[in-house]
Amino acid sequence: MQRQAATNSVGSGPTATVIGMDRSARWREIVTRPEAELPLDEGALLIAAMADDSLDVSVQLARLDDAAAQIGRADAGAVCRFVFETLGVRGDLQTYDDPRNSYLDQVLDRRLGIPISISVLLMEIGRRCGVPLEGVGMPGHFLLRDPREPDVLIDAFSGGRRLDHAACAELLRAVAGAEAQLLPAYLAPVGPRSILARMLANLDQSFRRRDDKEGGRWVTRLRAAIPGQPLTERVALADTFVRLGCVDEAASLFEELARRPETPVDVARRLQARARGLLAPYN
């Protein structure tokens, strides 16, 4: 076992220990915080730590501190130049679906990532340098915005390429189909809770394609701990637990959803019936 992590030097509170159970508890604690108090860097690294028992979150946070210290106070351009030119980080075009592209420590190690993971790296190094980059959850391709240049988007996957509205629309059509329309909501900023949820959704798809049920289990548990998800998404998570053989967790989630005051009565009855059906063989 590794030592307990030290206090996060950038002010997001004590980090998790590297013991698996404590990581899960720490995840549940941070994702239920108010949005403004949710540490994106630690959350992303906790995801990586669930995949690697040896990962020390505090060491990885210090790597981000060290990277930012090499830049000092800066603007978005300086942060991009450091990440893409000095560090040599780039989008992984050859093995895009590799789960390692979603782990922040591996992005630093391998200098490869996907749009959202490279964006998180830029956001967290930038934050330490006084650059408040915002995540933009465009479907199919995560982007960044510098609030000081709100009409210009940053494509982290393409080395920090600047995009105007027309270029964003063209990119959306390239990833979502020729008929896709760029709605204003697609370029709205998203908070850390949404970013972490999207990182996990990417991993879920990667593990499904590999039929990696063990990876699917821990990803689904992390996703289920995130509050504020619509009923339909929570039901889908319970169905995923069923597919992965996590019967108790599926039944517990169905029962929790059935008890929600906002759940329609007929839906609640169906959810309760599903929970009973799952547990019946064990009664």
Side-chain angles (χ1 to χ4, degrees):
M1 292 293 178
Q2 300 284 330
R3 62 181 172 80
Q4 181 164 331
T7 299
N8 183 347
S9 62
V10 296
S12 55
T15 62
T17 67
V18 297
I19 302 171
M21 183 173 64
D22 291 333
R23 287 168 169 165
S24 297
R26 178 63 175 174
W27 171 265
R28 290 191 296 272
E29 190 273 314
I30 68 170
V31 297
T32 54
R33 291 182 185 182
E35 193 83 46
E37 299 173 16
L38 201 167
L40 177 59
D41 51 1
E42 187 182 349
L45 287 166
L46 283 170
I47 292 172
M50 294 299 291
D52 179 2
D53 287 341
S54 69
L55 189 70
D56 188 325
V57 172
S58 65
V59 169
Q60 300 303 319
L61 289 168
R63 292 178 76 185
L64 297 174
D65 293 342
D66 292 343
Q70 296 181 55
I71 307 172
R73 301 297 291 185
D75 58 17
V79 174
C80 286
R81 285 191 295 274
F82 178 81
V83 169
F84 298 121
E85 297 176 15
T86 303
L87 295 184
V89 175
R90 66 187 189 279
D92 187 353
L93 293 169
Q94 303 302 316
T95 55
Y96 187 95
D97 191 46
D98 191 324
R100 293 176 296 176
N101 285 332
S102 291
Y103 304 143
L104 196 56
D105 67 304
Q106 290 294 304
V107 176
L108 281 168
D109 287 348
R110 301 169 65 238
R111 303 297 200 259
L112 292 171
I114 55 177
I116 194 167
S117 60
I118 303 176
S119 294
V120 170
L121 180 63
L122 283 166
M123 290 173 71
E124 287 304 314
I125 291 177
R127 180 174 64 81
R128 288 162 166 79
C129 297
V131 181
L133 296 172
E134 297 174 337
V136 175
M138 190 177 80
H141 198 103
F142 198 85
L143 299 169
L144 288 171
R145 175 187 285 114
D146 181 347
R148 292 169 290 197
E149 294 184 85
D151 295 329
V152 179
L153 281 297
I154 299 171
D155 181 2
F157 190 72
S158 298
R161 182 169 66 109
R162 267 49 175 181
L163 307 175
D164 59 15
H165 188 276
C168 289
E170 181 180 356
L171 178 58
L172 178 65
R173 289 191 293 271
V175 299
E179 302 303 317
Q181 298 295 315
L182 184 63
L183 304 178
Y186 293 171
L187 299 184
V190 294
R193 188 174 289 108
S194 177
I195 294 171
L196 295 173
R198 184 159 169 168
M199 293 179 79
L200 289 170
N202 288 339
L203 277 169
D204 178 69
Q205 291 301 313
S206 181
F207 288 144
R208 286 182 190 232
R209 283 187 283 268
R210 287 167 169 74
D211 197 28
D212 182 346
K213 289 184 169 56
E214 184 55 40
R217 290 184 188 104
W218 67 255
V219 163
T220 305
R221 289 175 184 130
L222 295 188
R223 295 180 76 188
I226 299 175
Q229 301 173 79
L231 177 63
T232 53
E233 292 185 17
R234 301 286 287 172
V235 170
L237 288 174
D239 287 333
T240 300
F241 275 135
V242 174
R243 180 179 60 82
L244 295 171
C246 304
V247 173
D248 288 345
E249 289 167 286
S252 177
L253 186 49
F254 281 133
E255 289 174 344
E256 172 205 318
L257 297 174
R259 291 192 299 268
R260 285 187 174 188
E262 66 272 20
T263 302
V265 173
D266 59 331
V267 175
R269 290 193 184 114
R270 289 198 296 271
L271 295 173
Q272 288 169 338
R274 292 202 64 184
R276 288 194 298 269
L278 288 169
L279 297 176
Y282 304 98
N283 292 334

